[in-house]
Amino acid sequence: MRAFFRRKRRLVLVLVLLVAGGMSIMAYNEKDKYFEIAKNLDIFAAFYRELNTYYVDELPPEKLMYKGIDAMLEETDPYTDFVPEENLDELKFMATGRYGGVGVSVNTDSERTVITDVYEGSPMDKAGVKPGDIILSLDGKPTKGMEQEEISRILKGAPGSTLAMVTKHPVTGAENNKKIIREEINVKAVSFSGITGTDIGYIRMTQFTENSGQLVQSAFEELKKQYPAMKGLILDLRGNPGGLLDEAVAVANIFVDKNKLIVSTKGKVKSWDREYKTEEPAVDAHIPLVVLTNRSSASASEIVAGAIQDLDRGVIIGQRSFGKGLVQTTRPLPYNAKLKVTTAKYYTPSGRCIQAIDYSHRNSDGEVESMPDSLRRSFTTTAGRKVREGGGIEPDDAVEPTMLSQVAITLLRKQYIFDYATQYYYSHPKVSPASNFVLSEDDFADFLKYLDGRNYSYKTRSEEALESFQATARKEKYYDAVAKEFEALQVKMKHDKKQDLLKNKQEVKRLLEEEIVNRYYMQRGRIEKSLSSDNEVNEAIAVLHAPERYQQLLK
């Protein structure tokens, strides 16, 4: 018996020693980690001091330090970033949607700088500036040859400051001197809300900035008030890069009742882990709901789409979302700089993280990869539907994205559609309402005449594939054997620009109509006109008009 107790005491002693040893190892590892940090910071400082003192040429300190910071950031994800004081306005814009400026978009090349969009109610709008106007100079500096980034920097500025601008009329060529007073520009989180067809509401949301949840709620309540017979709602998050997490919860709360988990965050600092639940009763917890997503729907957009999907509150239609399941916070640095750093991953109500790329595990060459489908775990929604982690939000009803033809891409890139719309605007004082506007056959024929003599040559995707085949065949020494067949195929596939235009007439016509409508009714008109030919919107309308199909997608 005593031998048994001696063995027991030895076992307890060994366990105590192991626990104590483990704690000391953990403490040592932690101390060792911070020792390594301190040691390498000393080496870095000493290295820079010696280099700066003895190197043969002058070394600009800021440039050198920024290169060092950039090198460190290469080991992190793309969302962790250093923000110097002069770039804080960009950080503010991401959070608030506000910036100091004049409210225009421009396009520049080596020959001209053209105003492409004017924001409604902006200083440029008040000054009578129109899309198509050519900017000759800004604050006395000629814009010819100026980089787009430099033009954008000059256009922005503190509210109340003055911008001197010389413009040229795109049709008459008349020059005009303007003094524009910069204001705080507020880019609206809700770019459009209205009714599609006769009974389906539609809200397009472009970003998750301060108060965007309230803006979506107000738009939804106004739709319900104007259209009491509304049978469903489409929330369009396509192209929405995200923003503030709290605003994503607020948007979800419009359709999800109180005290429901929307998202949770988990990171290295466990005390920062948090669950975000809805805090208010839903505005409408029962209206049939469709959320549209595509490959550019990210971050907060995916929080909303993921919550709606996991809670079986609505149907996701479109394409798989981007797959950004990371949360950033800002930390103060000396001299008013900021560190925007990824501090956590977020998880949808089912417990899945939709982060598509694993930045914590890199290949031997330093590259990162998307999570393969074979490793993506399955989770279940409230109703028991299977959903998967690690690859964005997969739609319940997938719709192939609309691909533009090569001729349409070329006409857009060459600005021919834009320039024709400018001419059309100045020769047609009025047009019908945006949703009803149709370009006549005579107008399309006029557009074809406008293109005569203009260069819009391009290679079709088939021609590019054929050239690639030819290069590979020559390299592998098979070409001589198939040369005649290849040349015959090349002749058959040689495209005729005029025929390509006629073959893709409806697509080109649609792009012309949207650009023309934008001149009269601005961005709202462009969006309203585009809805009738939008494949994802039309699919959403079809689903919302078929209750059995809607319910089937949620099973």
Side-chain angles (χ1 to χ4, degrees):
M1 183 64 74
R2 275 184 280 184
F4 169 77
F5 281 112
R6 280 198 299 272
R7 285 197 301 274
K8 189 175 179 182
R9 280 198 301 270
R10 283 199 299 270
L11 180 60
V12 171
L13 180 61
V14 168
L15 287 171
V16 169
L17 288 172
L18 282 172
V19 171
M23 289 176 66
S24 64
I25 289 169
M26 286 172 64
Y28 172 76
N29 285 342
E30 196 67 17
K31 288 178 181 177
D32 190 48
K33 173 186 171 183
Y34 286 107
F35 169 74
E36 285 296 318
I37 292 172
K39 168 186 165 184
N40 283 286
L41 282 173
D42 284 345
I43 292 171
F44 182 84
F47 176 84
Y48 174 70
R49 184 173 58 248
E50 296 299 311
L51 184 68
N52 184 64
T53 303
Y54 297 110
Y55 185 68
V56 63
D57 295 321
E58 285 297 316
L59 297 171
E62 186 178 81
K63 185 177 179 182
L64 218 58
M65 288 299 113
Y66 281 11
K67 281 192 174 183
I69 290 171
D70 288 342
M72 282 189 278
L73 290 173
E74 284 179 9
E75 297 299 312
T76 68
D77 59 62
Y79 315 108
T80 295
D81 201 6
F82 168 69
V83 185
E85 183 178 14
E86 58 267 25
N87 291 350
L88 287 181
D89 282 347
E90 294 176 19
L91 201 62
K92 177 187 174 186
F93 174 70
M94 290 170 64
T96 66
R98 297 184 179 91
Y99 69 95
V102 292
V104 291
S105 296
V106 301
N107 181 69
T108 188
D109 56 33
S110 58
E111 292 301 315
R112 64 177 191 168
T113 296
V114 182
I115 291 174
T116 56
D117 268 301
V118 179
Y119 302 151
E120 192 171 359
S122 69
M124 286 287 196
D125 186 25
K126 294 172 186 175
V129 175
K130 302 291 183 184
D133 286 356
I134 299 164
I135 302 177
L136 299 179
S137 70
L138 293 168
D139 285 340
K141 299 177 182 176
T143 55
K144 187 173 181 179
M146 192 181 288
E147 294 292 330
Q148 181 115 8
E149 187 176 331
E150 175 68 5
I151 291 169
S152 178
R153 187 191 65 77
I154 296 173
L155 290 173
K156 292 177 181 177
S161 60
T162 302
L163 172 72
M165 182 173 73
V166 180
T167 61
K168 185 171 80 171
H169 194 281
V171 176
T172 66
E175 294 187 9
N176 200 332
N177 291 285
K178 292 183 180 292
K179 294 283 186 183
I180 312 292
I181 306 299
R182 295 183 182 91
E183 297 177 10
E184 183 175 77
I185 306 299
N186 185 4
V187 179
K188 296 176 182 177
V190 175
S191 59
F192 179 86
S193 63
I195 207 79
T196 58
T198 58
D199 55 6
I200 302 298
Y202 175 89
I203 297 174
R204 178 174 291 189
M205 193 180 181
T206 57
Q207 56 193 350
F208 287 81
T209 48
E210 287 178 359
N211 300 316
S212 55
Q214 184 57 53
L215 291 172
V216 175
Q217 181 173 326
S218 297
F220 179 52
E221 289 174 336
E222 186 62 27
L223 285 174
K224 290 185 71 174
K225 181 180 176 182
Q226 289 185 17
Y227 306 97
M230 189 166 65
K231 292 182 178 178
L233 179 75
I234 301 168
L235 178 62
D236 192 346
L237 299 180
R238 292 174 299 175
N240 187 321
L244 302 178
L245 185 150
D246 287 336
E247 296 300 329
V249 178
V251 170
N253 198 172
I254 298 168
F255 311 104
V256 176
D257 245 329
K258 187 176 181 179
N259 207 33
K260 294 288 187 182
L261 178 65
I262 299 300
V263 64
S264 57
T265 59
K266 299 175 185 177
K268 184 190 290 185
V269 183
K270 297 305 175 187
S271 61
W272 289 2
D273 291 356
R274 187 178 166 189
E275 290 187 341
Y276 294 81
K277 296 183 178 181
T278 50
E279 296 180 352
E280 304 293 336
V283 175
D284 192 330
H286 303 290
I287 189 170
L289 174 67
V290 165
V291 178
L292 300 183
T293 62
N294 64 8
R295 291 298 296 171
S296 298
S297 305
S299 187
S301 293
E302 294 173 296
I303 289 176
V304 172
I308 295 300
Q309 188 176 59
D310 283 5
L311 298 172
D312 301 296
R313 175 59 188 88
V315 173
I316 313 301
I317 290 179
Q319 298 92 46
R320 182 192 290 188
S321 64
F322 183 80
K324 179 180 180 288
L326 306 174
V327 181
Q328 286 74 47
T329 57
T330 57
R331 305 290 299 168
L333 296 174
Y335 300 99
N336 297 320
K338 299 279 186 183
L339 168 64
K340 181 165 72 75
V341 57
T342 298
T343 53
K345 294 180 180 179
Y346 70 75
Y347 298 81
T348 66
S350 67
R352 57 181 169 144
C353 179
I354 53 84
Q355 176 62 28
I357 300 176
D358 186 1
Y359 294 101
S360 60
H361 296 93
R362 295 175 179 266
N363 297 333
S364 56
D365 59 359
E367 293 297 312
V368 292
E369 294 181 352
S370 297
M371 181 182 290
D373 285 349
S374 59
L375 296 180
R376 295 172 62 201
R377 293 182 299 161
S378 290
F379 294 78
T380 55
T381 69
T382 302
R385 294 186 297 147
K386 283 190 176 181
V387 288
R388 294 196 296 171
E389 68 172 353
I393 304 298
E394 294 183 48
D396 304 308
D397 182 4
V399 178
E400 286 295 315
T402 302
M403 303 294 289
L404 290 177
S405 64
Q406 202 64 37
V407 64
I409 292 171
T410 304
L411 292 173
L412 288 169
R413 184 172 53 83
K414 294 271 191 177
Q415 296 277 295
Y416 292 148
I417 286 176
F418 179 88
D419 288 342
Y420 181 79
T422 300
Q423 290 191 13
Y424 188 97
Y425 173 74
Y426 284 107
S427 59
H428 296 75
K430 291 182 179 180
V431 296
S432 56
S435 59
N436 299 328
F437 175 74
V438 176
L439 195 71
S440 70
E441 290 299 314
D442 287 343
D443 287 332
F444 189 79
D446 185 56
F447 175 66
L448 295 181
K449 287 180 184 176
Y450 166 81
L451 291 176
D452 283 346
R454 286 180 164 83
N455 175 29
Y456 56 101
S457 60
Y458 56 91
K459 290 179 182 177
T460 64
R461 293 183 181 93
S462 299
E463 287 174 321
E464 289 174 350
L466 205 59
E467 286 185 5
S468 176
F469 166 77
Q470 183 184 39
T472 303
R474 287 186 186 280
K475 187 176 180 180
E476 296 179 349
K477 305 191 186 308
Y478 291 122
Y479 180 73
D480 290 344
V482 297
K484 287 184 179 179
E485 291 87 345
F486 177 86
E487 288 167 6
L489 184 60
Q490 201 171 33
V491 169
K492 284 183 180 180
M493 288 179 62
K494 189 172 183 179
H495 71 279
D496 181 287
K497 292 188 298 181
K498 193 73 169 281
Q499 287 303 312
D500 277 0
L501 260 175
L502 295 176
K503 186 168 64 177
N504 295 284
K505 176 181 176 180
Q506 291 308 312
E507 177 185 64
V508 174
K509 196 164 173 280
R510 173 177 61 82
L511 294 171
L512 280 165
E513 288 169 351
E514 290 175 14
E515 187 61 51
I516 289 168
V517 160
N518 185 54
R519 304 308 171 91
Y520 299 90
Y521 304 107
M522 297 189 160
Q523 186 185 35
R524 178 181 175 83
R526 184 196 291 272
I527 295 171
E528 189 174 3
K529 179 59 191 171
S530 70
L531 293 180
S532 61
S533 56
D534 190 314
N535 290 340
E536 286 96 330
V537 170
N538 287 330
E539 175 67 8
I541 293 170
V543 168
L544 291 168
H545 278 159
E548 288 184 4
R549 187 179 171 203
Y550 178 83
Q551 291 300 328
Q552 189 62 38
L553 287 167
L554 293 175
K555 290 181 181 178

